[in-house]
Amino acid sequence: MMMQSRNAPGKRGYADVYQTLKDDIQYLRLMPGSVIRESDLIRDFGCSRTPIREALLRLSGEYLVDIYPQRGMYVSRIDFPLAAEVAYMRHILDSDICLSLCRQHTSLQSSVDEVFYFMSTAVKNRDVVRYIQMDNAFHRAIFTAAGRERIWSIISNSRAPYNRVLVLDLSMDNNLERSYGEHQKIAKYIETGNEEELRKILEVHHDHLPSPGYEEKIRAQFPQYFDGEA
C-alpha cells in the first residue's frame, strides 16, 4: 500500500491521522480493497500504535475501513446504496436551504466568486479532488448565507462514501464541466429568485435519483472498487 504525504516533521496525533486517512480513502488515493498494514502506518505517520488504532476504528464505523480479526484490515469497497443514501440526505437539506435563499433573492456573488475561480481552474486542470473540495466550499457558502453552517459541517463530515463515487463520476466524460455549469446556475437562480428552475437543477445536481444505467456504467468501468452487485 502506497501512503501519501507523510513527511511532516514530528509525531502525528489522532485527529491528524484520522483526517489524513479519511481524505486518502474518500479521494481514492487509497484504493478500495487495498490492504492496510498497521506497521506501515506507524512508520509513515511517525506515531505510536494507539492513534493509528483509534483512527482505524473510527473509519470502520464510517464504513471506510473493514477490520477482520486475525485476517487483516482493508480499505472498504464502495457501497453504492450507502453512497446513494448520503446523496439523498444531502439533497433534502441542501434543497431546503437553497430554496429558502431563493425566495429572498439572496446574492451569493461575494461568497462564491473566488470559489468559482478555483472550480474553473480545477476543471481546466482535470483536478477532480480539488474540484470536489471547491464543491464543498460552494455549498458551505450557501449554508453559511442561511445561517446553517453547522448543518453543512454535519453533511460534509458524512459525505465520504458519496465522495468516492463522485471521484469516479467526475473523472468520466465531460462531467466536470456539467457539474461546474450546474453550480453557476444554482447561484444565478437563487439570486434571481427563479424557484422553478432552481428546483429542476437541484433534482439532477445531487445525484440522489441517478439516471438509468448510471450505477451500471460506473461499475462497468471500475468493477474492482465496488461491493456487491448492481
Side-chain angles (χ1 to χ4, degrees), residues 131-149:
Y131 182 85
I132 293 174
Q133 291 169 341
M134 290 299 99
D135 179 326
N136 191 75
F138 174 84
H139 289 280
R140 179 180 292 277
I142 288 178
F143 277 68
T144 299
R148 302 295 189 197
E149 186 173 6

Side-chain angles (χ1 to χ4, degrees), residues 71-90:
R71 290 172 51 196
M73 294 178 288
Y74 303 84
V75 177
S76 299
R77 297 190 188 277
I78 298 172
D79 183 334
F80 205 100
L82 173 60
E85 288 184 23
V86 173
Y88 177 71
M89 176 186 69
R90 176 193 171 189

Side-chain angles (χ1 to χ4, degrees), residues 147-209:
R148 302 295 189 197
E149 186 173 6
R150 283 180 291 185
I151 294 179
W152 176 251
S153 293
I154 294 171
I155 297 174
S156 181
N157 288 335
S158 65
R159 275 185 51 154
Y162 170 71
N163 281 343
R164 297 209 290 171
V165 173
L166 194 59
V167 171
L168 300 177
D169 176 65
L170 292 175
S171 68
M172 298 190 302
D173 305 324
N174 295 313
N175 288 347
L176 274 174
E177 288 82 358
R178 171 190 55 78
S179 176
Y180 179 51
E182 290 172 0
H183 284 88
Q184 291 178 305
K185 289 177 182 178
I186 288 170
K188 173 185 174 182
Y189 295 149
I190 287 175
E191 184 168 353
T192 59
N194 192 335
E195 186 171 338
E196 180 180 357
E197 291 301 319
L198 180 60
R199 286 183 184 276
K200 290 179 182 178
I201 201 71
L202 291 174
E203 280 298 314
V204 299
H205 179 66
H206 296 132
D207 296 323
H208 69 295
L209 294 172

Side-chain angles (χ1 to χ4, degrees), residues 113-124:
D113 270 359
E114 185 175 10
V115 173
F116 280 154
Y117 169 77
F118 287 115
M119 282 183 120
S120 65
T121 301
V123 171
K124 180 179 179 180

Side-chain angles (χ1 to χ4, degrees), residues 44-110:
D44 293 336
F45 281 106
C47 63
S48 68
R49 181 173 283 104
T50 298
I52 298 294
R53 287 186 171 177
E54 290 177 348
L56 290 172
L57 283 172
R58 183 174 174 184
L59 292 168
S60 175
E62 296 176 5
Y63 309 102
L64 297 175
V65 170
D66 292 330
I67 300 176
Y68 301 104
Q70 311 306 318
R71 290 172 51 196
M73 294 178 288
Y74 303 84
V75 177
S76 299
R77 297 190 188 277
I78 298 172
D79 183 334
F80 205 100
L82 173 60
E85 288 184 23
V86 173
Y88 177 71
M89 176 186 69
R90 176 193 171 189
H91 170 70
I92 295 298
L93 295 171
D94 203 20
S95 294
D96 185 71
I97 294 294
C98 287
L99 290 168
S100 175
L101 294 175
C102 179
R103 294 177 191 120
Q104 302 170 46
H105 294 239
T106 304
S107 175
L108 298 171
Q109 184 174 353
S110 61

Side-chain angles (χ1 to χ4, degrees), residues 33-45:
S34 60
V35 177
I36 298 173
R37 295 184 177 86
E38 196 174 81
S39 58
D40 289 345
L41 296 179
I42 291 171
R43 179 200 64 217
D44 293 336
F45 281 106

